[in-house]
Amino acid sequence: MLAALAGGVGAARFLRGLVQVVPPEDVTVVVNTGDDDWFHGLLVCPDLDSVTYTLAGAENPETGWGLAGETFAAMDALDRFGAPTWFRLGDRDLATHLYRTQRLREGGASLSDVAAELAAAWGVRARLVPMSDDRVATRIDANLPGSAGVTELRMQEWFVQHRSEPPVVAVRFEGAAAAAPAPGVLAALDAAETILVCPSNPVISIGPILAVPGIRDALVRRRERVVGVSPIIAGAPVKGPADRLMGPLGIEVSCVGVARAYADFCGTLVIDAGDAGRAAEVEAQGVRAVVADTLMRDARVAAALARHTLDAVA
Ligand code: FO1
């Protein structure tokens, strides 16, 4: 049994490689839900959906989110009414949000239940569980141009509406302290032969998962079996705004900064060949460094990376 912590597009691509090299049924993915938000009265769970769609081979390959071959007729129709359509929800993607929202509204079904139903419907055999069935919402305090002081933004407002541009002052995970790990999360982390920390944004993808009480402690207990993949290569994120979050929060934007941030719960960190020269600095954090090609140009490289990551703690 394997467990993985995942959020965002990089994690989804890594997981697609992982399920090429191990049976998908052996993998439990603990997915970030801090990105979740309500749009047009519907609950959207971007990281659960990106992982589901990517493991189903149905994702938009350019963006890594949403579905391939999407149309946006509903968004265009909403434009007529002046409704906010900056968060692009495709017509087929809307079915996911309609179904999830209805299942939650009719009562009785948890976020975990619905995530499992959606994954099964897409033929995804890995087990996808949200980090919590309780609401945890990532909030970003940022300096907006033209406004004095700090503005609190919802994660998608900062990330999408403001294109990750406003300088970040602080990041909070609202509700985390009162949240419980979703059913099966702690058991999966305790039982896993190896726990993988996918190449996700350390602050807004892995951070919320670790903020759910009990999860970080479970990883600390299993530190020798925890292996991460650095999402930062040669001082920059492969995709997304990790640097614009790590810098302001005092985390060096490098594989060394990631090692330092993860050192208490992650015994081994896979770093890119381009960072081989920094392996000693990673190890100086008390984290074993393993060098590999971590730039997932295609599914074959992703599978090779997953294999290398598992071998790093074999
Ligand atoms: N990311 C964008 O940059 N622009 C969008 O319009 C957008 C819409 C969207 C709709 C559904 C969904 O599941 C994800 C979407 N994302 C979009 C990605 C989203 O911001 C995720 O939070 C990121 O992938 C980071 O996890």
Side-chain angles (χ1 to χ4, degrees):
M1 275 303 292
L2 295 173
L5 304 191
V9 171
R13 290 184 171 144
F14 176 79
L15 290 167
R16 185 168 50 203
L18 180 63
V19 298
Q20 310 296 322
V21 299
V22 299
E25 295 80 4
D26 290 357
V27 180
T28 296
V29 189
V30 179
V31 184
N32 169 45
T33 57
D35 285 9
D36 298 3
D37 207 340
W38 290 83
F39 294 95
H40 316 291
L42 302 175
L43 179 62
V44 179
C45 302
D47 286 353
L48 278 166
D49 294 345
S50 293
V51 173
T52 301
Y53 293 163
T54 301
L55 289 183
E59 91 289 359
N60 175 329
E62 278 77 49
T63 58
W65 53 264
L67 288 164
E70 259 298 16
T71 53
F72 292 86
M75 289 291 108
D76 295 343
L78 281 165
D79 280 336
R80 175 191 305 275
F81 306 129
T85 58
W86 51 265
F87 194 74
R88 309 299 295 161
L89 293 166
D91 298 320
R92 292 162 57 236
D93 188 35
L94 278 170
T96 301
H97 316 311
L98 287 164
Y99 179 79
R100 173 189 290 121
T101 303
Q102 175 53 24
R103 287 286 290 127
L104 293 173
R105 186 173 285 139
E106 65 198 8
S110 66
L111 194 62
S112 294
D113 296 332
V114 182
E117 289 165 15
L118 292 169
W122 278 101
V124 172
R125 302 194 330 257
R127 191 159 73 110
L128 307 187
V129 287
M131 65 194 197
S132 174
D133 284 338
D134 303 316
R135 183 81 182 97
V136 178
T138 298
R139 294 287 184 260
I140 296 180
D141 288 342
N143 289 322
L144 289 190
S147 66
V150 163
T151 306
E152 179 183 284
L153 297 174
R154 296 169 13 230
M155 185 272 172
Q156 301 298 349
E157 287 177 321
W158 182 76
F159 186 87
V160 177
Q161 188 177 22
H162 294 279
R163 292 176 306 285
S164 316
E165 285 163 1
V168 172
V169 173
V171 178
R172 275 189 310 285
F173 309 126
E174 239 166 51
V185 165
L186 295 183
L189 296 176
D190 287 342
E193 179 203 350
T194 299
I195 299 170
L196 301 151
V197 182
C198 295
S200 301
N201 184 317
V203 177
I204 55 174
S205 295
I206 301 300
I209 302 174
L210 299 172
V212 175
I215 293 183
R216 191 181 195 118
D217 297 340
L219 290 166
V220 169
R221 279 198 302 274
R222 309 287 321 280
R223 184 180 184 278
E224 286 321 298
R225 300 305 307 157
V226 180
V227 53
V229 179
S230 174
I232 306 294
I233 297 179
V238 173
K239 177 180 171 60
D243 52 334
R244 301 185 57 73
L245 289 148
M246 294 168 72
L249 301 188
I251 307 171
E252 181 187 317
V253 183
S254 71
C255 59
V256 180
V258 174
R260 193 173 295 128
Y262 288 4
D264 65 317
F265 65 85
C266 182
T268 302
L269 185 68
V270 177
I271 64 176
D272 191 71
D275 286 318
R278 305 207 67 180
E281 294 172 81
V282 168
E283 305 232 325
Q285 309 305 319
V287 177
R288 275 181 61 235
V290 171
V291 178
D293 179 2
T294 66
L295 191 57
M296 296 178 283
R297 283 172 295 275
D298 54 40
R300 190 190 52 74
V301 178
L305 174 59
R307 179 74 274 155
H308 208 132
T309 302
L310 291 171
D311 293 347
V313 287

